[in-house]
């Protein structure tokens, strides 16, 4: 089935059989109709706004930064020659035109093998298209051109700064001299239906600091170098006291990766050109393969349009893609590291944390993974900030490529009200609460090894708004056959659900599990308040039995 931009397909899964085909009810809805966030102060675990930046697990003790890992985190251009090879290629130059923005590179290859190619991503302003050049052995072997209105890569740090300069000049020309005292923030702008504009469009806001509400907003066309529309958002907020403001590093894309063996876990961590946050790959537990790769490809954001307003009266939607393209934000409590690696203890359990901080527009986002010695893997995201004065919802998308004892023989199951386990045998999207007690799992049918999904139990919560368990009915679980559409950077518009689902059979296939969270934020709560949500995985390995050796 072909996916149409701005639309999504929802599949409802039959709950009356133990093993069987999915009963599908298909409907289309626009991605610009997310649930309206409501007030949830009365049932959140924490509402204190006094905590500063950045988030910290509550009640953690014996926190230890793993400084020895610094040597494992290698910073540097992944392959400076690949960009030069692409820019010198006549076919690439013809496809990209004269005004070219270099966005970054991404290592690609066959799953399970060492990447054998680099994809150089460019944006051509004259041709209004993104150009992807595949480089192998210093030779361009393929060139793909994608019209700007179909897909655009994330904005670079250079583009963000240019958008701020253009919009600041605009406000000065309008007589708003206060703009010189404000901090400017930029995020990639999309149309109200979630698709990109035909040109490279940025949304800029000016605030007294990162924890203040926006005062001036503008849409900047980076192709023409002009402001297409603007408005005064709020009155000046002088005298605001704020915690230290995180600032984007503003550096070219670099590579951050390494390896860690810890309490039964063995894994590689990586920030790649995919801009899918910090990812973990080749993950084993107690020597058994568990995940090929886990990552957060995107977090989409939809703003509410109250009665009597138009979409252009608010802002968004946005696609937050965390990574190196725009420059990460150094974490001051981790010696200004861009990749946080640390141990801590909580409720008698020892944990290992990997985290990154990114500033996209006025949003401050901390994405993290937490691993425990007893086989838990927690995926978490924290967010604060306001792009405009309207209620909105963040939808983080996590992807788990589960390869229990290898990519074969894995099945996705959920617990039915009858107590039976249902095997989902074709691709699906389903509300998380269609499994009793959120009991979703991936199981290897040969070994019996299992990875279970669990509710976020609030362990990582800081003072701030925490999505309560009763709102987890809004989360979505998706099962997919691993294919090339999942392997690279996010190539979809701003969607509430994944948006493509052709009902391919999962039985006998290499499967991945997607989890879409729900993170509401009201304008009344303000920009200082951290919001958080996540999902937890529990690895359960089956006993191993070995035949008796002959005497």
């Amino acid at each position: 089935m072909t996916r149409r931009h701005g639309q999504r397909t929802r599949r409802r899964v039959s709950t009356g059989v133990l093993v069987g085909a999915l009963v599908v009810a298909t409907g289309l809805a626009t991605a610009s109709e997310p649930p309206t966030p409501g007030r949830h102060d009365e049932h959140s675990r924490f509402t204190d706004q006094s905590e500063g930046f950045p988030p910290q697990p509550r009640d953690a003790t014996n926190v230890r930064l793993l400084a020895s890992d610094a040597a494992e985190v290698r910073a540097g251009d992944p392959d400076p020659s690949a960009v030069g090879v692409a820019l010198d290629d006549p076919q690439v130059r013809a496809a990209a035109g004269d005004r070219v923005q270099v966005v970054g590179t991404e290592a690609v290859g066959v799953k399970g093998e060492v990447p054998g190619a680099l994809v150089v991503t460019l944006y051509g302003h004259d041709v209004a298209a993104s150009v992807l050049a595949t480089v192998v052995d210093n030779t361009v072997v393929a060139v793909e051109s994608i019209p700007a209105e179909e897909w655009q890569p994330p904005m670079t740090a250079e583009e963000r700064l240019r958008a701020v300069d253009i919009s600041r000049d605009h406000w000065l020309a309008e007589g708003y001299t206060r703009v010189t005292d404000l901090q400017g923030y930029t995020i990639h702008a999309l149309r109200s239906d979630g698709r990109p504009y035909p040109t490279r469009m940025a949304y800029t806001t000016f605030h007294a600091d990162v924890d203040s509400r926006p005062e001036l907003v503008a849409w900047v066309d980076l192709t023409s170098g002009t402001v297409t529309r603007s408005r005064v958002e709020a009155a000046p907020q002088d005298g605001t006291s704020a915690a230290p403001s995180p600032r984007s590093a503003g550096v070219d894309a670099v590579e951050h990766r390494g390896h860690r063996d810890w309490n039964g876990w063995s894994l590689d961590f990586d920030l790649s050109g995919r801009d899918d946050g910090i990812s973990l790959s080749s993950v084993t537990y107690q020597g058994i393969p568990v995940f090929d790769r886990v990552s957060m490809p995107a977090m989409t954001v939809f703003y509410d349009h109250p009665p009597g307003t138009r979409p252009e009266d608010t802002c968004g939607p946005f696609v937050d893609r965390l990574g190196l393209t725009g420059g990460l934000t150094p974490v001051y409590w981790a010696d200004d590291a861009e990749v946080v690696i640390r141990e801590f203890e909580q409720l008698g359990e020892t944990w290992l944390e990997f985290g990154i901080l990114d500033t996209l527009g006025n949003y401050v986002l901390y994405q993290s993974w937490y691993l425990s010695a007893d086989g838990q893997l927690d995926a978490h995201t924290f967010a604060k900030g306001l792009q405009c004065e309207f209620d909105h919802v963040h939808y983080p998308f996590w992807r788990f490529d589960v390869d229990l004892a290898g990519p074969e023989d894995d099945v996705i199951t959920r617990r039915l009200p009858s107590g039976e386990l249902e095997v989902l045998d074709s691709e699906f999207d389903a509300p998380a609460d269609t499994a009793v007690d959120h009991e979703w799992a991936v199981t290897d049918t040969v070994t019996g090894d299992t990875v279970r999904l669990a509710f976020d139990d609030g362990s990582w919560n800081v003072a701030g708004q925490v999505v309560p368990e009763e709102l987890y009915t809004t989360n979505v679980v998706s099962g997919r056959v691993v294919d090339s559409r999942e392997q690279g950077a996010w190539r979809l518009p701003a969607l509430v659900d994944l948006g493509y689902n052709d009902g391919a059979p999962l039985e006998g296939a290499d499967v991945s599990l997607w989890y879409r969270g729900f993170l509401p934020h009201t304008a009344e709560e303000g920009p200082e308040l951290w919001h958080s949500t996540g999902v937890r995985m529990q690895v359960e390995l089956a006993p191993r039995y070995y035949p008796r050796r002959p005497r």
Side-chain angles (χ1 to χ4, degrees), residues 249-396:
V251 298
D252 293 336
V254 295
E255 192 173 47
H256 297 67
R257 60 179 54 173
H259 179 82
R260 167 60 54 175
D261 294 314
W262 181 86
N263 282 353
W265 293 93
S266 178
L267 56 89
D268 297 324
F269 61 91
D270 182 38
L271 278 114
S272 69
R274 302 179 187 185
D275 282 289
D276 57 356
I278 183 169
S279 63
L280 308 179
S281 59
S282 300
V283 181
T284 68
Y285 180 64
Q286 303 299 346
I288 305 300
V290 179
F291 302 103
D292 178 73
R293 194 168 190 270
V294 296
S295 62
M296 195 180 85
M299 182 161 64
T300 60
V301 188
F302 291 88
Y303 276 76
D304 189 24
H305 309 309
T309 66
R310 304 166 299 172
E312 55 266 30
D313 293 331
T314 57
C315 64
F318 302 116
V319 177
D320 295 342
R321 292 168 285 189
L322 279 62
L324 296 166
T325 296
L328 292 175
T329 301
V331 179
Y332 75 84
W333 52 259
D335 295 331
D336 289 330
E338 291 186 352
V339 177
V340 176
I341 309 171
R342 65 175 187 168
E343 288 181 335
F344 60 89
E345 295 177 8
Q346 186 183 60
L347 301 178
E349 185 74 61
T350 302
W351 294 86
L352 176 66
E353 173 184 3
F354 295 91
I356 59 170
L357 193 74
D358 208 342
T359 305
L360 300 177
N362 187 245
Y363 295 132
V364 185
L365 307 167
Y366 188 73
Q367 181 235 336
S368 53
W369 303 98
Y370 302 94
L371 299 95
S372 73
D374 66 351
Q376 296 183 73
L377 172 67
D378 187 289
H380 226 89
T381 187
F382 301 82
K384 72 170 183 175
L386 273 180
Q387 292 292 150
C388 59
E389 292 280 348
F390 291 89
D391 296 351
H392 59 279
V393 177
H394 301 256
Y395 293 99

Side-chain angles (χ1 to χ4, degrees), residues 79-290:
D79 192 338
S81 63
V83 174
V85 168
L87 293 176
D88 289 340
D89 185 83
Q91 187 179 358
V92 174
R93 295 298 307 188
D98 293 329
R99 289 195 297 157
V100 178
Q101 177 70 48
V102 177
V103 178
T105 61
E106 173 187 352
V108 298
V110 178
K111 177 181 172 180
E113 298 181 3
V114 176
L118 284 171
V119 174
V120 179
T121 301
L122 311 169
Y123 182 80
H125 285 281
D126 292 334
V127 297
S130 302
V131 176
L132 282 67
T134 302
V135 179
V136 177
D137 294 332
N138 290 322
T139 302
V140 175
V141 298
V143 179
E144 180 183 7
S145 181
I146 306 173
E149 59 186 348
E150 292 185 12
W151 178 79
Q152 294 181 30
M155 288 191 163
T156 65
E158 177 186 350
E159 289 178 301
R160 294 183 192 179
L161 293 174
R162 180 166 175 254
V164 169
D165 290 341
I166 292 171
S167 53
R168 181 175 277 117
D169 289 343
H170 163 82
W171 286 113
L172 287 173
E174 293 290 317
Y176 288 86
T177 57
R178 175 173 167 75
V179 73
T180 59
D181 299 323
L182 302 177
Q183 296 182 20
Y185 300 88
T186 302
I187 194 168
H188 192 189
L190 301 174
R191 291 185 283 195
S192 60
D193 62 1
R195 294 178 298 132
Y197 283 93
T199 58
R200 194 77 158 149
M201 191 72 70
Y203 174 80
T204 65
T205 57
F206 288 92
H207 312 243
D209 50 63
V210 74
D211 287 333
S212 297
R213 298 177 182 272
E215 297 185 26
L216 305 169
V217 302
W219 283 258
V220 179
D221 186 336
L222 288 173
T223 300
S224 63
T226 60
V227 171
T228 61
R229 56 192 170 104
S230 62
R231 68 168 182 260
V232 177
E233 184 83 346
Q237 301 170 43
D238 294 314
T240 302
S241 60
S245 299
R247 302 300 302 273
S248 174
V251 298
D252 293 336
V254 295
E255 192 173 47
H256 297 67
R257 60 179 54 173
H259 179 82
R260 167 60 54 175
D261 294 314
W262 181 86
N263 282 353
W265 293 93
S266 178
L267 56 89
D268 297 324
F269 61 91
D270 182 38
L271 278 114
S272 69
R274 302 179 187 185
D275 282 289
D276 57 356
I278 183 169
S279 63
L280 308 179
S281 59
S282 300
V283 181
T284 68
Y285 180 64
Q286 303 299 346
I288 305 300
V290 179

Side-chain angles (χ1 to χ4, degrees), residues 464-485:
Q465 292 289 12
V466 179
V467 174
E469 188 168 303
E470 54 264 37
L471 284 185
Y472 272 60
T473 59
T474 61
N475 293 353
V476 173
V477 178
S478 301
R480 293 291 185 268
V481 176
V482 173
D483 62 27
S484 59
R485 289 176 296 184

Side-chain angles (χ1 to χ4, degrees), residues 370-440:
Y370 302 94
L371 299 95
S372 73
D374 66 351
Q376 296 183 73
L377 172 67
D378 187 289
H380 226 89
T381 187
F382 301 82
K384 72 170 183 175
L386 273 180
Q387 292 292 150
C388 59
E389 292 280 348
F390 291 89
D391 296 351
H392 59 279
V393 177
H394 301 256
Y395 293 99
F397 286 83
W398 286 283
R399 177 179 177 265
F400 302 91
D401 186 348
V402 183
D403 282 357
L404 286 163
E408 301 85 12
D409 305 313
D410 292 340
V411 296
I412 302 174
T413 64
R414 65 177 172 182
R415 182 73 64 182
L416 300 178
S418 64
E420 296 177 312
L421 286 180
E422 179 187 26
V423 176
L424 305 176
D425 56 7
S426 62
E427 290 191 343
F428 68 90
D429 299 321
D433 68 339
T434 58
V436 174
D437 294 330
H438 200 261
E439 191 176 329
W440 295 86

